[in-house]
Amino acid sequence: MAGTRILSMGHYQPSRLVTNDDLAAIVDTNDEWIRDRVGIVTRRIAEGETVADMATAAAGKALAASGLTAADIDMVVVATCSSIDRCPNVASRVANKLGIAAPAAMDVNTACSGFSYALGTADHAIRAGAARNAIVIGSEKLSDVTDWSDRSTCVLFGDAAGAAVVTATADGEEPGIGPVVWGSAPDRGDVLTIEGWQPYIKQDGQIVFRWATTMLAPLARQACERAGVALEDIAAFVPHQANTRIIDGIVKRLGIPNAVIAKDLVESGNTSAASVPLALSKMIERREVPSGAPVLLFGFGGGLTYAGQVIRCP
């Protein structure tokens, strides 16, 4: 296969809106502090919905917009670090709910970089001829693993899902998904964890901040180089939605003068593996990026892991 491209996107967020003032009523914090330190104003919290429920909703929207049917899909990849249900995995639950018969179904856990890892995996499988069409999903219910008495972390996270339908390009057609740049800093894996049978997210925010703002811009630049796209031609940058100061720090060092910068975290919070596809899907829905324009995706987080690639906007 010559390459792959994203046909369509879809996203889903729960209906319950939680404001900074809502959190200030349960922990010692306030709206001004949260906005100043992380840039978040609101986030969505799932109540009766599971990771698989949200993943299915986002994937169903992406599939409906793709022009394909469930019978055309032969691979489902879900990026998540928050699913309480371990087996069957989330991917097979989504496939069952959507009526997709006998797909390759796998979950990927690289935390906040998960969508780009999953997208790279699907891209490789289709290029190798192991699949024809794939649904790639990032879905997180971080409210299940949030300590709501910890003011340093409970203000950060939200629940959501985002999905993409990926297919092979025709002969002679330019690939719409560039080579993935991925890796990790495992010696720093202890600075952001979700561990144990009753886990809560724990992180050393200062170490994560310094790592993200000093180490990641060259790696994101490398993704552009591998795709053969100049930085000035990038139409949009969709980084993991962790913190506005982190995003601003990466953008400053990266140098992408003409790019629209995704900052969906203002209204959605940090949704880990869902954050990149959620923000990208909203950008496409609002028509902020022209079809075919190059978009740089870059996820980073627990592990510490990172992954990114340049895609052509569907």
Side-chain angles (χ1 to χ4, degrees), residues 24-41:
I26 61 174
V27 293
D28 182 15
T29 190
N30 60 71
D31 177 65
E32 182 181 3
W33 186 91
I34 298 170
R35 288 177 186 244
D36 179 63
R37 299 300 285 274
V38 296
I40 298 168
V41 177

Side-chain angles (χ1 to χ4, degrees), residues 268-290:
S268 301
N270 178 344
T271 58
S272 190
S275 75
V276 168
L278 176 67
L280 177 61
S281 181
K282 288 183 179 181
M283 272 188 163
I284 293 169
E285 187 174 77
R286 292 191 294 255
R287 299 183 180 179
E288 294 177 353
V289 185

Side-chain angles (χ1 to χ4, degrees), residues 282-309:
K282 288 183 179 181
M283 272 188 163
I284 293 169
E285 187 174 77
R286 292 191 294 255
R287 299 183 180 179
E288 294 177 353
V289 185
S291 177
V295 177
L296 173 60
L297 311 181
F298 201 84
F300 53 89
L304 293 168
T305 63
Y306 58 84
Q309 59 268 94

Side-chain angles (χ1 to χ4, degrees), residues 11-192:
H11 65 273
Y12 175 81
Q13 291 182 276
S15 60
R16 182 187 172 196
L17 186 72
V18 176
T19 67
N20 292 342
D21 289 335
D22 292 332
L23 294 176
I26 61 174
V27 293
D28 182 15
T29 190
N30 60 71
D31 177 65
E32 182 181 3
W33 186 91
I34 298 170
R35 288 177 186 244
D36 179 63
R37 299 300 285 274
V38 296
I40 298 168
V41 177
T42 61
R43 69 285 290 149
R44 300 291 182 120
I45 300 299
E47 295 181 298
E49 300 144 306
T50 67
V51 169
D53 291 334
M54 292 187 291
T56 301
K61 290 179 181 179
L63 182 59
S66 71
L68 302 180
T69 68
D72 298 313
I73 304 299
D74 49 18
M75 185 176 195
V76 179
V77 189
V78 176
T80 186
C81 66
S82 60
S83 178
I84 302 301
D85 302 315
R86 293 172 174 81
C87 184
N89 65 11
V90 178
S92 61
R93 293 171 191 261
V94 171
N96 183 54
K97 288 174 181 286
L98 293 179
I100 301 170
M106 71 178 80
D107 290 359
V108 174
N109 178 5
T110 61
C112 307
S113 64
F115 181 77
S116 281
Y117 264 85
L119 187 61
T121 299
D123 171 53
H124 298 163
I126 294 172
R127 285 174 181 263
R132 299 166 302 150
N133 304 296
I135 295 180
V136 180
I137 308 163
S139 184
E140 302 283 16
K141 190 179 180 184
L142 294 173
S143 58
D144 276 346
V145 292
T146 296
D147 181 353
W148 294 101
S149 66
D150 179 2
R151 68 173 185 168
S152 67
T153 58
C154 76
V155 302
L156 302 176
F157 302 109
D159 301 333
V165 174
V166 180
T167 191
T169 54
D171 289 341
E173 182 182 356
E174 183 181 2
I177 299 176
V180 66
V181 173
W182 53 14
S184 63
D187 57 312
R188 298 182 179 182
D190 61 347
V191 303
L192 202 167

